């Protein structure tokens, strides 16, 4: 290797190193004694830990999986056992492959199961999701799948799945036809923490993928379902607390915050429905700005999910002729 | 010798840091204060008119959300026990009990604390230099406040507040709002000037001031009442959120009619805050023939019972305009 190449390689390494240094660190927030929120790699990642190992809810976008692994070290020295995916959204499953590979599945069950125990082959963490997540991430034989096989769920369920890990019951509950047809919310019962997945994204209007089975009514139903699961700190309301809710993106929420978000989504649904009943076309409804009251808080004119896309999704789901 | 120099340098550094620290109170704020209702009493005590957004630098979103508001929302079980956040409680009619907590070893004030009331949560103003929480951390009804002394003024910065009313008729603040308060005690009078900023609903900071008077006779509760939601509106459909669609609120024009004002005045906006707007308004103002209500000053002669202070024994006998 000539000197110019060495210099070029050094400059390249320096650039990579500087870029890594310039990235803000992942934000780690303790939500409950056994539960943390990791933010900074796409969607939020929830971490539950204990003597059985680490359970992740979602795996982020996968752009900073090594940073995620580094952030997990101070939380637990034990391996990742499970990754529970709340949807097939790329922001939630992007780190599946890398994080799963870094983990170690439980013997006799997920992540390799009995075959792994018999063969002695070390397997990664199990990946668990609703079966529609598996269908969205994979493809029929001979077709190109949107995600590599190493990221696909290793276990799929239909309605609900219960686990008992790290001394607490964990419920993975399917909420039909909300953000998509594969959404789940995860309820850590002893920690009293709900991971809402894409149903609640406090940084923007909810992403509703109508072409993937999502609908405005399903979204509202899912929000009301979360409000039924979550308990506010009544009667001593001045105590901060009650059930904590981790959204797809943004800060930790409580019951009152989800009420605010649910009300917003319901009001926009009602306004769009009112305009449809007045005979307006989609374009006229867009022009009427039915999200007014919430546009600066949740809206955007750029990026992957604009206000216009949200209005279109509400319109599309209300004009499909079905409540879902 | 070197060891002594290091020791001296250490002592000097510690002494300097201690001296420079803002944690020692310049003024003792402790006490029980009654709210003086000289400003905005109609808004604070009986409550604002429906559609009264005057004096608020609302943007279009803030105005739209306020116009869509239905008081029936308060009957939703999930909303019955929601408290007011600091950006409203500094505006409202509440009195205040203020006390400090000190470090038992150093005696330094760790926090100033403001009492709660019927429907507001107690607040802690941290004076020990701790940082505000992560942007991903939870928001509470008390918010997260830190304080520093600027001369004899306590400057309080509050973040991490929940969405809460800015006015009791549905004018909102969002969870993005922040507030800076300037707390000044002058003899037995306490003045809090608050600057509320909200990128979601305000076009410029909303600045208000409130006066309190030291009054050990008023009964200020430190903690709010416990709250249990009940079914208040059995006819409300499951999942319904009471509100008005745009243009559908029939009460928005009431205030304009009552006071002979153009509708646009009642809808707020930054322009309406400034003196120049009066000139624009003069030609459009039609003085009502009679005074419909609130003709005799705050409370109409009623006396507050929970720390609002007395009303100088005002007795309302006239229904004519008072000016």
């Amino acid at each position: 290797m000539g000197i110019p190449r060495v210099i070029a390689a050094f400059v390249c390494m320096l650039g990579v190193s500087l870029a890594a240094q310039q990235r803000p660190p992942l934000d780690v927030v303790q939500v409950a004694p056994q539960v943390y929120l990791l933010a900074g790699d796409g969607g939020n990642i929830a971490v539950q830990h204990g003597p059985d190992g680490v359970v992740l809810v979602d795996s982020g976008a996968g752009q900073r999986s090594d940073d995620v692994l580094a952030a997990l070290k101070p939380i637990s020295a034990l391996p990742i056992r499970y990754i529970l995916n709340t949807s097939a959204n790329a922001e939630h499953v992007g780190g599946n492959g890398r994080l799963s590979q870094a983990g170690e599945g439980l013997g006799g069950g997920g992540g390799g199961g009995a075959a792994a125990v018999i063969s002695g082959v070390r397997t990664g963490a199990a990946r668990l999701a609703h079966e529609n997540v598996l269908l969205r991430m994979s493809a029929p034989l001979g077709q190109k799948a949107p995600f590599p096989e190493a990221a696909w769920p290793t276990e799929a369920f239909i309605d609900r799945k219960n686990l008992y890990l790290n001394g607490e019951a964990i419920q993975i509950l399917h909420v039909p036809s909300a953000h998509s047809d594969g959404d789940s919310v995860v309820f850590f019962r002893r920690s009293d923490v709900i991971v809402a997945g894409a149903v609640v994204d406090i940084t923007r209007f909810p992403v509703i993928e109508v072409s993937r089975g999502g609908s405005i009514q399903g979204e509202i139903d899912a929000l009301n379902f979360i409000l039924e699961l979550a308990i506010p700190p009544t009667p001593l309301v001045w105590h901060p607390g009650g059930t904590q809710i981790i959204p797809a993106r943004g800060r930790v929420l409580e019951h009152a915050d989800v009420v605010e978000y649910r009300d917003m989504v319901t009001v926009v649904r009602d306004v769009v429905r009112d305009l449809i009943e007045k005979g307006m076309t989609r374009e006229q409804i867009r022009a009427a700005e039915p999200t007014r009251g919430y546009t600066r808080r949740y809206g955007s004119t750029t990026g992957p999910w604009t206000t216009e896309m949200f209005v279109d999704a509400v319109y599309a789901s209300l004009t499909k002729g079905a409540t879902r | 010798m070197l060891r002594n120099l290091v020791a001296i340098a250490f002592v000097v550094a510690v002494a300097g840091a201690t001296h420079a620290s803002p944690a020692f109170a310049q003024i003792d704020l402790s006490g029980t204060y009654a709210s003086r209702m000289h400003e905005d009493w109609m808004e604070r005590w009986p409550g604002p008119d429906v559609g009264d957004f005057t004096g608020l630098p609302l943007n279009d979103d803030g105005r739209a959300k306020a116009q869509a508001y239905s008081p029936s929302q308060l009957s939703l079980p999930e909303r019955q026990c929601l408290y007011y956040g600091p950006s409203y409680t500094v505006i409202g009619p509440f009195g205040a009990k203020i006390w400090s907590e000190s470090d038992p070893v150093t005696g330094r004030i760790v926090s100033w604390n403001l009492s709660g009331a019927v429907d507001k949560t107690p607040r802690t103003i941290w004076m020990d230099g701790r940082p505000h929480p992560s942007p991903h951390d939870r928001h509470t009804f008390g918010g997260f406040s830190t304080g520093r002394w600027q001369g004899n003024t306590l400057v309080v910065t509050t973040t991490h507040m929940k969405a809460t009313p800015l006015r009791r008729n549905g004018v909102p603040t969002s969870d993005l709002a922040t507030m800076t308060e300037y707390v000044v005690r002058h003899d037995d009078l306490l003045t809090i000037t608050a600057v509320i900023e909200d990128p979601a609903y305000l076009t410029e900071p909303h600045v208000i001031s409130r006066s309190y008077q030291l009054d050990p006779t008023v009964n200020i509760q430190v903690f709010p009442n416990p709250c249990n939601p009940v079914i208040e509106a059995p006819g409300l459909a499951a999942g319904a959120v009471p509100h008005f669609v745009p243009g559908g609120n029939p009460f928005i024009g009431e205030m304009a009619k009552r006071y002979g004002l153009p509708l646009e005045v009642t809808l707020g906006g930054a322009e309406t805050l400034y003196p120049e707007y009066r000139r624009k308004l003069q030609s459009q103002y039609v003085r009502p023939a009679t005074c419909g209500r609130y003709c005799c000053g705050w409370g109409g002669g009623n006396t507050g019972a929970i720390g609002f202070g007395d009303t100088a024994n005002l007795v309302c006998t006239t229904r004519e305009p008072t000016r």
Side-chain angles (χ1 to χ4, degrees):
Chain A
M1 184 185 284
I3 288 177
R5 282 191 180 177
V6 171
I7 293 172
F10 176 74
V11 168
C12 184
M13 285 167 58
L14 190 66
V16 170
S17 173
L18 284 175
Q21 285 176 8
Q22 285 167 356
R23 280 196 310 229
L26 293 178
D27 199 3
V28 182
V29 174
Q30 187 166 20
V31 181
Q34 280 183 270
V35 179
Y36 288 79
L37 159 66
L38 264 61
D41 183 21
N44 286 336
I45 300 171
V47 182
Q48 184 246 26
H49 72 99
D52 299 331
V54 172
V55 175
L56 299 183
V57 183
D58 292 327
S59 60
Q63 304 297 313
R64 300 183 62 184
S65 292
D66 287 339
D67 292 341
V68 172
L69 291 170
L72 288 175
K73 279 184 183 166
I75 297 173
S76 175
L78 296 175
I80 301 168
R81 301 297 191 188
Y82 268 97
I83 299 174
L84 315 177
N85 287 132
T86 58
S87 76
N89 191 317
E91 282 200 329
H92 297 156
V93 300
N96 271 14
R98 177 74 183 93
L99 299 182
S100 174
Q101 183 192 35
E104 190 174 339
L106 297 167
V117 175
I118 293 165
S119 66
V121 176
R122 183 178 175 278
T123 62
R127 302 177 296 275
L128 176 62
H130 186 266
E131 69 167 355
N132 286 342
V133 173
L134 176 59
L135 292 173
R136 299 289 178 198
M137 293 179 70
S138 59
L141 198 61
Q143 293 181 26
K144 183 171 168 47
F147 292 91
E149 189 176 345
W152 298 355
T154 53
E155 296 178 50
F157 66 93
I158 295 175
D159 181 42
R160 63 170 55 201
K161 176 83 178 179
N162 297 331
L163 302 173
Y164 196 91
L165 288 168
N166 294 319
E168 75 171 320
I170 307 169
Q171 292 182 290
I172 306 113
L173 306 162
H174 176 50
V175 283
S177 191
H179 151 72
S180 68
D181 58 8
D183 302 312
S184 299
V185 299
V186 178
F187 186 19
F188 293 103
R189 290 189 1 175
R190 195 177 73 166
S191 296
D192 200 11
V193 174
I194 296 170
V195 186
V199 172
V200 184
D201 183 342
I202 198 71
T203 67
R204 57 187 175 181
F205 291 117
V207 177
I208 297 171
E209 297 184 335
V210 179
S211 64
R212 292 180 158 207
S215 75
I216 183 66
Q217 190 56 47
E219 168 71 18
I220 292 169
D221 291 346
L223 288 166
N224 282 317
F225 176 67
I226 290 169
L227 289 174
E228 283 177 20
L229 275 185
I231 307 293
T234 49
L236 308 179
V237 189
W238 61 88
H239 288 172
T243 307
Q244 304 292 295
I245 298 139
I246 297 177
R249 298 195 310 171
R251 65 180 172 85
V252 178
L253 306 174
E254 295 173 338
H255 188 272
D257 303 304
V258 179
V259 169
E260 197 70 27
Y261 197 76
R262 184 279 313 264
D263 286 4
M264 175 273 289
V265 178
T266 305
V267 167
V268 174
R269 187 272 316 264
D270 290 352
V271 172
V272 172
R273 188 162 57 192
D274 179 64
L275 297 175
I276 291 170
E277 287 170 358
K278 287 174 177 162
M280 286 193 180
T281 64
R282 189 181 68 172
E283 284 64 34
Q284 288 170 323
I285 290 172
R286 278 182 182 173
E289 299 180 55
T291 58
R292 194 177 279 189
Y294 304 98
T295 308
R296 287 181 71 87
R297 173 63 185 82
Y298 299 107
S300 173
T301 55
T302 59
W305 188 246
T306 64
T307 303
E308 201 166 79
M309 292 162 77
F310 173 59
V311 172
D312 286 356
V314 177
Y315 177 85
S317 37
L318 289 175
T319 52
K320 275 173 81 174
T323 54
R324 293 209 164 162
Chain B
M1 180 66 181
L2 183 62
R3 187 182 293 174
N4 287 345
L5 283 174
V6 170
I8 291 168
F10 177 75
V11 169
V12 168
V14 169
T18 306
H19 184 70
S21 166
F24 282 117
Q26 273 78 2
I27 293 285
D28 185 9
L29 301 171
S30 308
T32 301
Y33 296 87
S35 181
R36 289 294 168 227
M37 304 293 269
H38 307 128
E39 293 173 90
D40 304 328
W41 66 268
M42 285 190 289
E43 172 191 342
R44 297 165 69 192
W45 181 221
D49 282 280
V50 176
D52 175 7
F53 312 144
T54 56
L56 299 172
L58 291 178
N59 63 20
D60 285 348
D61 268 352
R63 189 176 297 108
K65 192 173 181 196
Q67 288 180 312
Y69 174 75
S70 164
S72 296
Q73 285 178 16
L74 300 175
S75 290
L76 292 175
E78 55 268 37
R79 281 197 173 274
Q80 287 169 26
C81 291
L82 300 191
Y83 285 166
Y84 292 114
S87 58
Y88 175 77
T89 56
V90 76
I91 292 170
F94 313 99
K97 183 190 285 290
I98 301 178
W99 71 98
S100 63
E101 299 289 351
S102 299
D103 184 303
V105 176
T106 65
R108 294 159 65 91
I109 288 179
V110 176
S111 67
W112 283 102
N113 307 281
L114 273 69
S115 64
V118 177
D119 43 14
K120 72 167 184 169
T121 191
R123 291 177 62 195
T124 302
I125 300 165
W126 297 106
M127 301 297 292
D128 56 2
R130 70 182 65 192
H132 282 244
S134 150
H136 288 94
D137 217 329
R138 74 209 72 190
H139 288 207
T140 64
F141 283 111
F144 187 92
S145 299
T146 54
R148 62 187 168 85
W149 287 101
Q150 197 173 75
N152 286 334
T153 301
L154 178 64
V155 181
V156 182
T157 303
T158 302
T159 60
H160 291 73
M161 297 183 281
K162 286 193 190 296
T164 192
L166 187 62
R167 196 168 271 179
R168 295 208 303 266
N169 57 6
V171 177
T173 53
S174 77
D175 58 346
L176 303 181
T178 57
M179 181 168 69
T180 308
E181 291 158 284
Y182 300 87
V183 184
V184 178
R185 179 170 177 179
H186 198 88
D187 198 4
D188 66 343
L189 291 176
L190 185 83
T191 303
I192 299 180
T193 304
V195 180
I196 300 161
E197 297 176 74
D198 186 354
Y201 292 126
L202 301 178
T203 58
E204 58 184 69
H206 178 48
V207 184
I208 54 107
S209 64
R210 295 292 181 248
S211 300
Y212 303 82
Q213 188 163 15
L214 201 63
D215 185 348
T217 66
V218 295
N219 178 24
I220 303 278
Q221 62 186 104
V222 173
F223 294 105
N225 295 328
C227 178
N228 279 300
V230 295
I231 302 297
E232 288 185 355
L236 205 59
V241 176
H243 68 96
F244 294 102
V245 296
N249 189 337
F251 308 110
I252 285 300
E254 276 187 359
M255 182 194 179
K257 274 185 201 164
R258 177 172 294 124
Y259 296 106
L261 296 165
L263 179 64
E264 67 167 83
V265 176
T266 65
L267 301 182
E271 186 194 5
T272 65
L273 307 184
Y274 293 96
E276 294 76 18
Y277 191 72
R278 283 187 175 181
R279 284 197 286 277
K280 183 178 170 183
L281 181 64
Q282 256 171 353
S283 61
Q284 303 172 57
Y285 175 57
V286 181
R287 185 174 169 169
T290 57
C291 175
R293 57 178 173 168
Y294 307 150
C295 308
C296 297
W298 96 262
N302 295 325
T303 303
I306 51 173
F308 301 157
D310 65 36
T311 60
N313 297 320
L314 278 172
V315 177
C316 183
T317 56
T318 177
R319 296 187 68 78
E320 293 303 310
T322 53
R323 71 189 195 107

